[in-house]
Amino acid sequence: MERKNAAHELVIESMTEALMQLMRVKPLSEISISELCEKAGVSRLSFYRNFTSMDDILVQHLTACTDAWWAEFSQRSEEDFYQNFWTELLGEYRKNRDLILLIDQNGRSQILKEHIFACCAVNDAADETEAYLRAALAGTLYGLVDEWIKRGMGEFPRGFSLHKLRFDKPEAEA
């Protein structure tokens, strides 16, 4: 089973790297699944077994890039979490600058939006209030990251914290 998982991971890694290489020389809209599979050295069946679209490759890769960071960051104290969230999230995206810029240059910002909304787990919300709060956070994150990309992915303003955008439940629900 371990060997099968390693092979599966190799296919995903090969397809992701091949897609990024192709995107560096031509627009995503001009890349065919056949061309991608040939570049990755895998079959079309492998593509369809693992992905629904080429966008899906990018979304899955973005998620993999941020999952390890999130697992560690989410364990921080509440104060540290709220104070450092923005700068550290953007730092994580900056580590993947090439991918982020390829997505942006191909006019596929919806990939980043889909990634952020999936990470905020809007659809997994326990109740209506939580769903709205998660959607508000996801929308804020997307808007902020999109603007940051447009501004060249530089340093984020000091002193900006999640506290400024904190949503509390109405008093009646508290």
Side-chain angles (χ1 to χ4, degrees):
M1 186 68 160
E2 188 174 309
R3 190 172 174 200
K4 200 173 196 178
N5 286 340
H8 173 73
E9 291 301 316
L10 185 59
V11 166
I12 290 173
E13 185 179 317
S14 296
M15 295 194 86
T16 302
E17 185 54 37
L19 181 58
M20 290 180 61
Q21 286 175 11
L22 288 167
M23 287 174 68
R24 286 183 192 105
V25 296
K26 65 195 297 188
L28 182 60
S29 61
E30 294 178 13
I31 301 169
S32 70
I33 292 171
S34 295
E35 180 181 18
L36 172 62
C37 291
E38 183 178 324
K39 178 85 170 166
V42 301
S43 69
R44 286 176 61 90
L45 181 62
S46 292
F47 173 85
Y48 289 110
R49 189 178 296 144
N50 293 287
F51 305 106
T52 58
S53 66
M54 284 190 268
D55 285 3
D56 192 31
I57 294 172
L58 299 170
V59 170
Q60 285 187 35
H61 185 60
L62 271 173
T63 301
C65 290
T66 56
D67 277 355
W69 168 80
W70 178 250
E72 182 183 319
F73 186 82
S74 64
Q75 301 304 308
R76 292 186 176 187
S77 71
E78 184 176 345
E79 185 60 32
D80 186 34
F81 181 95
Y82 281 100
Q83 190 62 41
N84 295 304
F85 178 79
W86 299 111
T87 54
E88 293 205 22
L89 173 65
L90 296 180
E92 197 60 30
Y93 282 137
R94 193 178 288 112
K95 287 179 190 175
N96 297 285
R97 181 182 180 88
D98 189 39
L99 172 64
I100 299 294
L101 289 176
L102 285 171
I103 289 169
D104 185 60
Q105 291 162 358
N106 277 275
R108 302 305 264 258
S109 63
Q110 80 276 7
I111 292 170
L112 190 56
K113 180 181 175 186
E114 184 179 327
H115 163 69
I116 290 170
F117 273 76
C119 288
C120 290
V122 174
N123 295 331
D124 297 338
D127 62 29
E128 191 174 74
T129 300
E130 182 181 346
Y132 285 123
L133 291 173
R134 287 181 183 208
L137 177 61
T140 300
L141 278 171
Y142 172 69
L144 209 148
V145 170
D146 186 56
E147 185 62 27
W148 174 71
I149 293 166
K150 288 175 186 169
R151 292 177 178 267
M153 298 175 79
E155 291 302 312
F156 200 65
R158 291 231 181 270
F160 197 93
S161 77
L162 259 183
H163 282 299
K164 295 181 183 192
L165 296 171
R166 194 171 184 177
F167 300 97
D168 292 320
K169 289 186 176 182
E171 292 298 320
E173 294 181 28

